[in-house]
Every structure is written in structure tokens, then in C-alpha cells.
Amino acid sequence: MSSTTTKIEPIGAVRERVLATLRQEIISGGLRPGDRLVERELAERFGVSRVPVREAIRALVAEGFVHFETPRRIVVRRLTPNDVKELFELREALEVYAAGLAAARATPQDLAEVEELLDRAAAATEAGDAETITDVNSRLHDRIVAMADNSLLIEALEPVAGRLRWMTRRNEEWPQLLVEHRELYEAIASGDPDRARAHALAHVRTNYDSTVRQLFGEAAELT
Amino acid sequence: MSSTTTKIEPIGAVRERVLATLRQEIISGGLRPGDRLVERELAERFGVSRVPVREAIRALVAEGFVHFETPRRIVVRRLTPNDVKELFELREALEVYAAGLAAARATPQDLAEVEELLDRAAAATEAGDAETITDVNSRLHDRIVAMADNSLLIEALEPVAGRLRWMTRRNEEWPQLLVEHRELYEAIASGDPDRARAHALAHVRTNYDSTVRQLFGEAAELT
DNA sequence: GTCCGCAGTTTGGTATACCAAACGCGTTGC
DNA sequence: GCAACGCGTTTGGTATACCAAACTGCGGAC
């Protein structure tokens, strides 16, 4: 079917395209928690067969965006306060550790790159450009983790970052966020792992509190 | 084909069977680093179609046992000293954090279960029963992580534990291991997260050193 | 003798077809 | 009227078929 309707795609591209689209729709809210994913339906919609759709769904399961509600029923995951708590705990474990490694391993080039990102974040914050702020902040975290120079750590944090973007769309006290990022950077640049870990910890905890407030309101904080 | 030769299997069982078998063969050494995994070959060997084999291979990739050496060439991963270092760093991040949570959250039932496991480990160590020691130690770590009461943490540690079993077959100073486990347990039971974290950290580091010695010899420790 | 190129083979990616279990809904019996 | 049974539909699991890219090896040209 597709051979007549679409140009030939690079190898493995169909699965990636379906995966990226679905993930994007979940993160942006087009697909909402509880919405069902039906293989045949999606295959028809994307104009592909069920096989790549299937693999994309598996990947989404692995990333934690969807799950098998019953043996044959795949739905977008519902976010309970406990889910958020667990996610932030995992994030805390990984990012705090990464910050400690980063302090020990960062090269001058690494630090220069982060400094540039901080400048861009500052400009975007001043301008109130939410899109850019989100993007730059995401890159910032990526760079800090990359400084830890451990590919497994990077892999482990990928799905965490994805789910984080999912639940923390537009909230954030941006100026406060910028201050924390700068402090974290300075701690890492100082080469003191303990200081870096402390700042990373504080940052994640602050971010957790604000996320919980945004998602569930003040009352729910007593998880 | 299979409908005439084999009984009907429970849903999703084929993929799981193939996955479990391949993982076991990698861990036990039947499949060695650099060995190739060929879909058609495995499908024929297991008497199943390529689809479940395919999904099993994807899972093995996600777990880190195999990787795409080139776009069409899937091989059992080779273990470099850096791989081991990265794995133990990830383990350190997760297990140390889990130990801290466990100290804060463990229930008396949890502690009783761990105590029982420790007794069994002690008996097995005295008897020199390697099989049982390995099994009990594995359960011990599982129980400790379970005490942290965070399903994401458990999920994240699953592939780590698998790769760990892969690289740490039969070595270990068992009596020393037992002492460390008992100390970690006592730290957790004391309810002091910092103490628990310190013991977990020491335990992982010791285990790392002995693993590196086993795999690469004394000389390679200067990674 | 070496290197480049072409054709056959290998192999993972994708599409299609069939199967069996689970779900829904209507019917029927109490 | 309500509950339980049963049949049809839905849907994910598995098998098979076809495709295109990459690898291999042989042969010819320089």
C-alpha cells in the first residue's frame, strides 16, 4: 500500500516517526491520560502497518507514557500524586549523582557551553519567552548530565526527562529557576562534588514542590 | 506451523520464553560477547516466527545485553572496563538512594523478611553453597530496593541487576559480602538514612573493586 | 598482484493474514 | 426486573510474505 502512496523512507524511520508523533501528542496533551491506543486504528491513521505501531507502543510503555490497563487494553497513563512522587525520587537519585560526577569531571569546554546556555536562558527569561526557556532549560540539564560522562546515566534519564516535560508544561517560577541553575553551575564549576550534589538536590526538590502545586493544588502536598 | 506441533501458549508467552532463554544464555555464557543474534536463525531454533524473536531482541537491547553493531548486525555486547565502570556508577546512584529511602520507610515486616534472608545467606555461606548464596543475595538486594517503595526505582534497577549477574558470575569474597549485607541491614533497621546510604555506598564500591579485579585483573584498576 | 565494481546472498524492516482470548450486548430464564 | 449465559465483535499475538539495504565474494582491469 505505502509503496504507491509514499516515498521510500530511511530504514527504521517509520517506527521512529510513529513513536515521536505519539510521544509528542501525549506530552502536548493531544492524547490525554486514560485515552486508549489501538494498534489498528493508529496504523490506519499513520498509513503504516501494525508492526511499527506495535514497536512504537512498546517503546512508549518502556518510557512510562502508556501501560497495559488490562491484557489487551493499552491506555495513556494516568498521573497520580504517587506517580509524580516516584518520578521525582528517581530523578533525584540520578540527577544528584550526575551533578556530583559532573563536578569531578567537567572540562573547561563543558563549562563554557553551560555558561552560554545560562546566558541564553537569562535572556529568554527577561523576554518571557516560554518556548525558549523550556528548550534551553532542557538542554541545560542534558549538558550537566553529559558532563558526568556516563552513557548509562544519560540513557536512564531520557525517559525521566520525557515524562517530566509531560507533567510540567508551563508553570515554573522562571527567575527562581534561573537562579538555581546558575548556582548549580557554579557549584559544579567549583569542582566540589558535595556542593554540586547539594544544589542539585535543592533544585529537584523545589521543582517537585512547584510541580505538585501545579498539578494537584496546595492541598495535595501531604503525600 | 506451531498450531500443529505445540500446545497453545498463554498470551505473550512466546516472547517471554524467547527473551528469558536468550537472557539466560547470555548471563550463563552460552552466548558470548561478540556473538551475533540473527532473527531468522533464532526463530527457527525456537520454532516460532520472527516477530516474538524481534521483540525479545528489542528487550535485550533495552536491558543492555546486546546492541546494534551496525544497522543490521545485532551482537552480544562486549564488556569494556568503561562499561563496567558506568554500570556500577548507575548502580551506585540507584542503590544508595534506595537504601536511604529504605531506612526511612521500612516496615517491621520488611525488616523481618530481610533478617530471614540474611540467616539463609549465612547458612549458605557456611556451607559454601554458591548457587544458594547468589540467589539469596539477589533476593536481598531486591528486598532492600522494595523497601524504598518506589516502583520506578525497582524498574530502573532491574536491567542493572541483570547485567550485574552477567558480569559477576562466581567470584566474591562471600564472608565479606555477608558482613557488608548485615551491616547494611542494621543501618537500614536503625532508621538512619545517612548511615544506610554510607553502608550501601561502601558495599557497591567494594563489589566494584572485586568485579574489576575478577574481570580484568589487578592491572586494569586504574580506569 | 592489487584494487575496484557488480551480482548474489543475507538480513532486518514492513505489510498482510490468521488466530484466540477478552469484551459487549442482547437474549433468555428465573 | 434482574442476573446469567452465549454469540458476535474487537483486539492484541503470532505467522508468513515481500522489500530494500548492506555485506560478501568473485572476476576483470590496470
Side-chain angles (χ1 to χ4, degrees):
Chain A
M1 175 229 279
S2 74
S3 59
T4 63
T5 58
T6 61
K7 63 186 177 309
I8 287 110
E9 301 199 59
I11 203 144
V14 176
R15 189 184 77 247
E16 291 307 319
R17 178 163 56 89
V18 173
L19 173 58
T21 305
L22 288 177
R23 184 166 39 209
Q24 176 54 30
E25 289 186 358
I26 292 172
I27 290 174
S28 73
L31 282 169
R32 304 201 314 180
D35 281 358
R36 203 170 167 190
L37 298 186
V38 178
E39 282 188 8
R40 282 174 169 78
E41 210 173 86
L42 295 170
E44 187 177 8
R45 195 185 122 200
F46 287 107
V48 301
S49 86
R50 284 173 53 211
V51 179
V53 171
R54 188 183 183 68
E55 301 207 344
I57 289 178
R58 294 281 182 202
L60 289 172
V61 170
E63 292 175 18
F65 288 108
V66 307
H67 73 132
F68 281 67
E69 198 174 65
T70 72
R72 307 270 182 118
R73 193 181 177 84
I74 303 166
V75 301
V76 178
R77 204 159 178 171
R78 285 178 226 284
L79 272 184
T80 68
N82 191 56
D83 289 335
V84 178
K85 190 196 70 174
E86 292 192 348
L87 180 64
F88 269 86
E89 282 179 0
L90 179 58
R91 181 188 172 192
E92 188 176 306
L94 295 170
E95 281 201 7
V96 169
Y97 188 84
L101 289 184
R105 295 175 180 172
T107 68
Q109 291 92 325
D110 287 331
L111 293 173
E113 278 182 51
V114 171
E115 231 169 324
E116 196 221 309
L117 282 172
L118 279 170
D119 289 342
R120 286 175 53 193
T125 299
E126 192 120 13
D129 177 358
E131 185 85 20
T132 306
I133 294 173
T134 305
D135 179 57
V136 171
N137 281 346
S138 172
R139 286 167 191 274
L140 250 166
H141 279 269
D142 287 349
R143 288 309 307 157
I144 290 173
V145 173
M147 285 193 275
D149 193 31
N150 180 321
S151 60
L152 290 180
L153 223 45
I154 294 173
E155 275 176 45
L157 266 165
E158 257 165 36
V160 175
R163 272 179 281 186
L164 226 57
R165 283 199 307 279
W166 181 24
M167 54 179 64
T168 66
R169 273 173 294 152
R170 70 185 120 284
N171 74 90
E172 316 279 24
E173 301 259 334
W174 289 322
Q176 170 63 16
L177 203 65
L178 183 62
V179 170
E180 288 178 19
H181 280 161
R182 199 171 281 287
E183 284 177 350
L184 175 55
Y185 160 74
E186 278 162 14
I188 290 172
S190 79
D192 180 348
D194 288 333
R195 226 185 111 199
R197 296 169 58 90
H199 280 282
L201 179 60
H203 176 51
V204 173
R205 295 256 169 105
T206 303
N207 200 230
Y208 173 59
D209 289 341
S210 93
T211 300
V212 169
R213 268 198 302 278
Q214 178 214 359
L215 289 176
F216 308 111
E218 307 279 345
E221 273 199 78
L222 43 91
T223 32
Chain B
M1 177 229 278
S2 73
S3 59
T4 64
T5 59
T6 61
K7 62 187 180 306
I8 288 111
E9 301 199 59
I11 205 146
V14 176
R15 189 184 79 248
E16 291 306 318
R17 180 163 54 90
V18 172
L19 172 58
T21 305
L22 289 177
R23 183 166 40 209
Q24 176 54 32
E25 289 186 359
I26 293 172
I27 291 174
S28 72
L31 281 169
R32 304 200 315 181
D35 281 358
R36 204 170 164 188
L37 298 187
V38 178
E39 282 189 7
R40 282 176 169 79
E41 210 173 87
L42 295 170
E44 187 177 9
R45 195 185 119 201
F46 288 107
V48 301
S49 87
R50 283 173 56 210
V51 179
V53 170
R54 188 185 183 66
E55 301 207 344
I57 289 177
R58 293 282 183 202
L60 289 173
V61 170
E63 292 175 19
F65 287 109
V66 307
H67 72 133
F68 281 66
E69 199 174 65
T70 73
R72 306 271 183 118
R73 193 183 176 83
I74 303 166
V75 301
V76 178
R77 203 158 179 171
R78 283 175 227 282
L79 272 184
T80 67
N82 191 56
D83 289 335
V84 178
K85 190 196 69 175
E86 292 193 346
L87 180 63
F88 270 86
E89 283 178 0
L90 179 57
R91 183 189 172 192
E92 190 176 306
L94 295 171
E95 281 200 7
V96 169
Y97 188 83
L101 289 184
R105 295 175 180 171
T107 66
Q109 290 92 324
D110 287 331
L111 294 173
E113 278 182 51
V114 172
E115 231 169 324
E116 196 220 310
L117 283 171
L118 279 170
D119 289 343
R120 286 176 52 194
T125 300
E126 191 119 11
D129 177 358
E131 185 84 20
T132 305
I133 293 173
T134 306
D135 179 56
V136 171
N137 281 345
S138 172
R139 286 166 190 273
L140 249 167
H141 279 268
D142 288 350
R143 289 306 308 156
I144 289 173
V145 174
M147 285 193 275
D149 191 31
N150 180 321
S151 61
L152 291 180
L153 223 45
I154 294 174
E155 274 176 45
L157 265 165
E158 256 165 37
V160 174
R163 273 180 280 188
L164 227 57
R165 283 200 306 280
W166 181 24
M167 53 179 65
T168 65
R169 273 172 292 152
R170 69 186 120 286
N171 74 91
E172 317 278 25
E173 303 257 334
W174 290 322
Q176 169 64 17
L177 204 65
L178 184 60
V179 170
E180 287 178 18
H181 280 161
R182 198 172 282 285
E183 285 177 351
L184 175 55
Y185 159 74
E186 278 162 14
I188 290 171
S190 79
D192 180 347
D194 288 334
R195 226 185 112 198
R197 295 169 60 90
H199 280 282
L201 179 60
H203 176 51
V204 173
R205 295 256 169 105
T206 304
N207 200 230
Y208 173 59
D209 289 341
S210 93
T211 300
V212 168
R213 269 198 302 278
Q214 178 214 0
L215 288 176
F216 307 111
E218 307 278 346
E221 274 200 76
L222 45 90
T223 30

